[in-house]
Amino acid sequence: KAGVTQTPRYLIKTRGQQVTLSCSPISGHRSVSWYQQTPGQGLQFLFEYFSETQRNKGNFPGRFSGRQFSNSRSEMNVSTLELGDSALYLCASSPTGTGIPGELFFGEGSRLTVL
Amino acid sequence: AQSVSQHNHHVILSEAASLELGCNYSYGGTVNLFWYVQYPGQHLQLLLKYFSGDPLVKGIKGFEAEFIKSKFSFNLRKPSVQWSDTAEYFCAVNGGGSYIPTFGRGTSLIVHP
């Protein structure tokens, strides 16, 4: 079974630009969550999508947005990039309804550098 | 709101030393507890989990953790670490039926050969 796939793996942007990251969950997983990982802050929850609906949202500004498609693939977008947005963005999928709540399967992440 | 505290941010050990990483959480209801590990250059993966039953759970690579409800703790242990255990370890908790776990800030473990 293929794992969670995230693209792109690495990207460099400049302040003020916007970026879109993509995530393909494990087949059959309908829940997709996004996290921002930075040294010292650990994993900060961004949002979770289930069946194309945002079900949970973390404490991030409106510049951070996401969506989920009918095939469960998800994208997240960050507009008007700031230097502090440099981080590893992790996507995780979950077998909602059949698995243990909170058990997540992570992708390798998209490392964003903002210059 | 639930929160997770990992007491040790950086741990350095020699091979064969014993390991215990602390994790405390704040949530009064039923919880599911996890330890995730991130090896250098690899994705986060589940090390072990607790959701019910025996409070002493065993995971991969000889790791175990004990859920002590009265102390709101879920400490990770390994009797003898190896160089290959060098990684970042994250404790995570979720409760109340939520599918979204709260993560601790992580503990960076370096094992010297």
Side-chain angles (χ1 to χ4, degrees), chain A residues 17-28:
Chain A
Q17 287 187 310
Q18 65 104 26
V19 67
T20 298
L21 309 178
S22 179
C23 172
S24 293
I26 292 172
S27 177

Side-chain angles (χ1 to χ4, degrees), chain B residues 5-44:
Chain B
S5 176
Q6 291 184 240
H7 317 298
N8 319 97
H9 297 299
H10 301 279
V11 174
I12 301 174
L13 296 172
S14 297
E15 274 194 320
S18 63
L19 170 72
E20 180 160 4
L21 301 182
C23 173
N24 285 90
Y25 64 92
S26 64
Y27 185 77
T30 302
V31 292
N32 299 312
L33 300 155
F34 309 85
W35 276 97
Y36 287 86
V37 61
Q38 189 174 36
Y39 297 105
Q42 296 187 26
H43 65 280
L44 266 164

Side-chain angles (χ1 to χ4, degrees), chain A residues 33 35 37 40-43 45 48 55-56 88 90 94 96-97 100-104 106-108, chain B residues 32 34 36 38 41-46 49 51 88 90 94 97-101 103-106:
Chain A
S33 302
Y35 288 83
Q37 184 180 8
Q41 292 295 316
L43 275 72
F45 172 69
E48 184 232 359
R55 187 162 66 172
N56 293 281
L88 181 66
L90 296 172
S94 176
T96 305
I100 299 168
E103 181 174 1
L104 303 177
F106 285 88
E108 293 187 328
Chain B
N32 299 312
F34 309 85
Y36 287 86
Q38 189 174 36
Q42 296 187 26
H43 65 280
L44 266 164
Q45 57 187 285
L46 185 67
K49 61 192 176 190
F51 54 96
E88 188 136 17
F90 294 90
N94 80 303
S98 168
Y99 282 90
I100 305 304
F103 283 81
R105 291 193 172 187

Side-chain angles (χ1 to χ4, degrees), chain A residues 5-57:
Chain A
T5 304
Q6 291 188 245
T7 57
R9 291 289 313 282
Y10 303 91
L11 65 166
I12 300 173
K13 294 286 188 178
T14 57
R15 279 181 299 175
Q17 287 187 310
Q18 65 104 26
V19 67
T20 298
L21 309 178
S22 179
C23 172
S24 293
I26 292 172
S27 177
H29 288 192
R30 294 165 62 192
S31 169
V32 174
S33 302
W34 289 90
Y35 288 83
Q36 181 193 67
Q37 184 180 8
T38 55
Q41 292 295 316
L43 275 72
Q44 303 287 308
F45 172 69
L46 282 154
F47 26 67
E48 184 232 359
Y49 287 87
F50 178 77
S51 292
E52 301 179 66
T53 300
Q54 186 180 86
R55 187 162 66 172
N56 293 281
K57 188 177 188 303

